[in-house]
Amino acid sequence: MNKEQKDQAQRSRNTALGLVLAGLVILFYGLAIVRVGG
Amino acid sequence: MSLPMTPAYASEASFSQDSSLATPRDFWLLMKPGVLSLVVFTAFVGAILAPSTIHPFVLLVAILSITLGAGGAAAFNMWYDRDIDLVMKRTRSRPIPAGRVAPHDALTFASLLSVTSVTLMGLATNMLAAGLLALSIVYYTFFYTAFLKRRTPQNIVIGGGAGAFPPLIGWVAVTGEIALLPLVLVWLIFIWTPSHFWALALYRSSDYANARVPMLPVTHGELSTKRHIIVYSILLVASAFIPVYLGDFGVIYALSAVLLGAAYLLLATKVWWIGGEKPAIRLFLFSIAYLFLLFLSMVIDHVGARFL
């Protein structure tokens, strides 16, 4: 495994983790709205 | 044939301790996406058939929770079975045996998914649904994967219970209560699992034998497995009529149960009568379509009844 491959894999893992965390924030925000608003 | 209680083929040195080459897809593969699709679908059917309704966003979160929970249980399974996965042709290219994901990272991933799923379910719906989700993860991880799978040829009969939970969880997420119909759906998946898995085990029996997993074709031979497939297929096809007798569905579902059941029995008979790899592969593939179409016909029947 070369350094470039490792860096590429690291970048895509970081992006995926960022998206998952952003998704969780939206999800909890949405749940709060539905539960409180409903 | 005597089998060791816990075959260990590979020391930790056989696995990469570094996940620096892992991509997000590898973590997705740890969740067994093929199995997930059926889990999500049957959970959704359970939620749709429920007599009450919840906010669509809450339903979405509930389905997401079940997806994450099932994915977590699958990742636990991948972590625990890494030694036999390394031996079996079918599973050799999975992320852990292929050296792309380190076992400890898979374990962390599985734990995170499981805890997140149960927490989300509890926050979004109710504690009963969250409890059932937790129970199904524990059932699959500890009871099936760690206890039954390597000990008894009845592993998938008893372990099949784990995969049967989703429609019940979907229903309880909506209603907050357990009822007879979702329990019948659980029974249908439970009784479907053995013939589905034994069809696979028939044409992968050498793989299971190499890994010393006591699947029925390995311990009791081909003929006994075929007999078991026939018996469980009859039980499945007959059980599919229970919802009709209970008055839950009408003509659309009943007709689907008849046609799909006839095809299932035909294919199971071919496995028994003709033998060989092809009929077993056909039955395995059709069994997936069978469950999907049977559950789909429940939804069509249920929705149709509202408009007719």
Side-chain angles (χ1 to χ4, degrees):
Chain A
M1 61 179 88
N2 61 44
K3 193 175 179 306
E4 201 174 310
Q5 272 179 308
K6 273 187 177 178
D7 288 347
Q8 175 61 37
Q10 179 71 55
R11 271 197 297 275
S12 61
R13 284 202 304 275
N14 287 348
T15 310
L17 190 62
L19 288 172
V20 167
L21 290 176
L24 275 175
V25 170
I26 294 167
L27 203 140
F28 278 105
Y29 193 62
L31 261 185
I33 291 172
V34 168
R35 293 235 116 176
V36 177
Chain B
M1 181 177 184
S2 75
L3 292 157
M5 297 292 268
T6 47
Y9 308 96
S11 68
E12 277 313 286
S14 312
F15 304 100
S16 167
Q17 296 305 314
D18 164 29
S19 304
S20 59
L21 266 186
T23 60
R25 186 174 176 272
D26 289 320
F27 286 92
W28 170 240
L29 290 177
L30 284 178
M31 295 169 72
K32 298 192 182 176
V35 179
L36 270 190
S37 56
L38 212 55
V39 164
V40 170
F41 179 68
T42 54
F44 186 69
V45 171
I48 291 289
L49 296 178
S52 47
T53 51
I54 49 173
H55 193 287
F57 185 74
V58 177
L59 178 62
L60 184 80
V61 176
I63 298 292
L64 179 72
S65 304
I66 295 169
T67 312
L68 296 179
F76 273 126
N77 173 277
M78 291 256 199
W79 168 77
Y80 189 87
D81 276 348
R82 61 193 182 280
D83 56 344
I84 52 179
D85 282 353
L86 192 64
V87 180
M88 290 174 65
K89 262 188 225 157
R90 186 172 74 89
T91 53
R92 210 173 275 166
S93 58
R94 284 178 172 176
I96 303 175
R100 300 192 302 274
V101 174
H104 61 89
D105 287 329
L107 182 61
T108 307
F109 180 65
S111 310
L112 272 176
L113 281 181
S114 304
V115 171
T116 308
S117 69
V118 175
T119 310
L120 258 183
M121 183 64 100
L123 287 173
T125 62
N126 55 72
M127 285 303 139
L128 184 57
L132 285 169
L133 183 59
L135 182 67
S136 69
I137 296 169
V138 169
Y139 193 123
Y140 187 73
T141 304
F142 292 99
F143 194 48
Y144 170 69
T145 302
F147 185 74
L148 290 170
K149 187 172 175 179
R150 303 182 189 207
R151 275 183 174 78
T152 165
Q154 294 298 314
N155 48 14
I156 47 148
V157 178
I158 312 163
F165 273 88
L168 178 65
I169 303 173
W171 175 289
V172 171
V174 175
T175 63
E177 291 166 357
I178 294 174
L180 187 57
L181 179 59
L183 289 177
V184 172
L185 302 188
V186 168
W187 169 254
L188 281 178
I189 301 178
F190 177 77
I191 208 71
W192 164 87
T193 309
S195 56
H196 163 73
F197 261 107
W198 284 329
L200 169 77
L202 264 182
Y203 68 89
R204 296 284 188 186
S205 62
S206 58
D207 228 7
Y208 283 112
N210 284 338
R212 299 180 74 81
V213 177
M215 292 299 274
L216 204 58
V218 179
T219 58
H220 289 70
E222 225 176 78
L223 188 65
S224 173
T225 308
K226 287 175 183 171
R227 284 192 191 129
H228 275 78
I229 287 179
I230 289 285
V231 170
Y232 275 87
S233 300
I234 293 169
L235 281 174
L236 168 67
V237 171
S239 299
F241 291 101
I242 297 174
V244 181
Y245 299 133
L246 291 175
D248 288 307
F249 301 113
V251 180
I252 297 173
Y253 173 78
L255 200 65
S256 307
V258 169
L259 295 174
L260 290 167
Y264 205 105
L265 287 178
L266 181 73
L267 289 175
T269 310
K270 277 187 173 174
V271 170
W272 185 46
W273 204 254
I274 301 170
E277 215 172 73
K278 263 190 182 170
I281 295 174
R282 276 198 198 121
L283 178 64
F284 173 72
L285 293 176
F286 179 74
S287 64
I288 300 168
Y290 173 88
L291 198 69
F292 178 79
L293 292 172
L294 193 74
F295 273 63
L296 182 68
S297 71
M298 290 178 191
V299 175
I300 295 172
D301 192 301
H302 178 76
V303 174
R306 275 191 196 166
F307 294 102
L308 292 174

